[in-house]
Amino acid sequence: MGSLSGKTLIVTGGARGIGRAYALALAKEGGNLVLADVLDATNVAEEIRDNGGEAVSTITDISNEQSNNEMARTATDAYGSIDVLINNAAMFSETTRGPFNEVTIEEWDQAFAVNVRGVWLSCCAVYPQMIKQGGGKIINIASNTCYKGTIGFPHYVASKSAILGLTRCLATELGRDGITVNVLSPDLIPDPTQRPTDAVSDEIVVAGRPLKRTQTAEDMIGTMLYLCSSASDFVTGQSILVNGGAYLH
């Protein structure tokens, strides 16, 4: 029996990348996974089931209230509970890189619609079920860029910085309901298939951190498992950076 046996965990953005890595690892610990993504995550759900786990997928646009509510219904219909929400989905690879004053208003608004409003709406969608159960865990994914002031995509950095404040507000408000809310922030995890420039960026990032190697999605797993499990039941409102020491927090 894994540490998450019988628990239902929603992973937004679970179709690929870090979200997929989270889902596979959490399933190995016995969790029932709900993979919510604007992309089709059927293959990830099938991979989990082929390995003896439990998983369903659902097409979800987190910037849309109705879509988030349907995500929550999918979870409860499939498994009867929502124990953990991992707000991983974000607009990142799609952001245009360049000077701050060349970001279009449309792209600025889109980044906040997905990265901030989307997280808020996902929390709103699962809240009634968590109240009904008497508790739950929400884990919001921010970014090491918030602490380093990384240039080139200010709309992304600003939107992820907003998640820090939202998390603290929710942790304070929802503690009475037995719901913990924390932030997990990775540094750059290169994905050349999505962002060809990552190879160059990674050289710069690695040179500036104490642990001199490229960060991988698997580096996030241990801390994620901790935040999802009962080991972190008395931890809320906290920001945990997994970054090889790139920013000492």
Side-chain angles (χ1 to χ4, degrees), residues 150-169:
T150 304
I151 64 172
F153 47 173
H155 44 330
Y156 173 79
V157 178
S159 66
K160 284 299 187 177
S161 297
I163 295 304
L164 303 178
L166 177 61
T167 297
R168 291 165 184 162
C169 289

Side-chain angles (χ1 to χ4, degrees), residues 29-84:
E29 291 297 318
N32 304 319
L33 272 296
V34 178
L35 310 175
D37 203 311
V38 290
L39 303 175
D40 186 358
T42 301
N43 62 330
V44 183
E46 289 177 348
E47 183 178 358
I48 290 172
R49 293 195 295 268
D50 288 345
N51 289 321
E54 286 286 341
V56 296
S57 63
T58 180
I59 299 294
T60 304
D61 174 4
I62 63 166
S63 68
N64 179 275
E65 182 179 19
Q66 182 177 347
S67 191
N68 276 286
N69 291 338
E70 180 58 34
M71 173 189 74
R73 282 192 294 270
T74 297
T76 54
D77 288 348
Y79 300 116
S81 66
I82 302 174
D83 299 288
V84 180

Side-chain angles (χ1 to χ4, degrees), residues 12 45 68 72 77 83 98 140 148 158 161 185 208 212 214 221 238 249:
T12 68
N68 276 286
D77 288 348
D83 299 288
N140 296 325
K148 294 195 293 186
S161 297
S185 294
K212 304 294 186 184
T214 295
I221 300 305
Q238 303 305 306
H249 173 59

Side-chain angles (χ1 to χ4, degrees), residues 1 9 17 24 43 51 53 60 76 95 108 125 132 150 152 163 191:
M1 300 290 282
L9 305 96
L24 294 176
N43 62 330
N51 289 321
T60 304
T76 54
T95 54
W108 182 280
K132 182 179 179 180
T150 304
I163 295 304
D191 185 352

Side-chain angles (χ1 to χ4, degrees), residues 93-122:
S93 297
E94 303 84 355
T95 54
T96 302
R97 311 302 169 90
F100 86 98
N101 58 327
E102 293 182 7
V103 178
T104 67
I105 292 175
E106 291 76 17
E107 187 168 316
W108 182 280
D109 289 346
Q110 184 183 8
F112 274 79
V114 176
N115 296 354
V116 185
R117 186 176 75 200
V119 170
W120 169 62
L121 287 174
S122 293

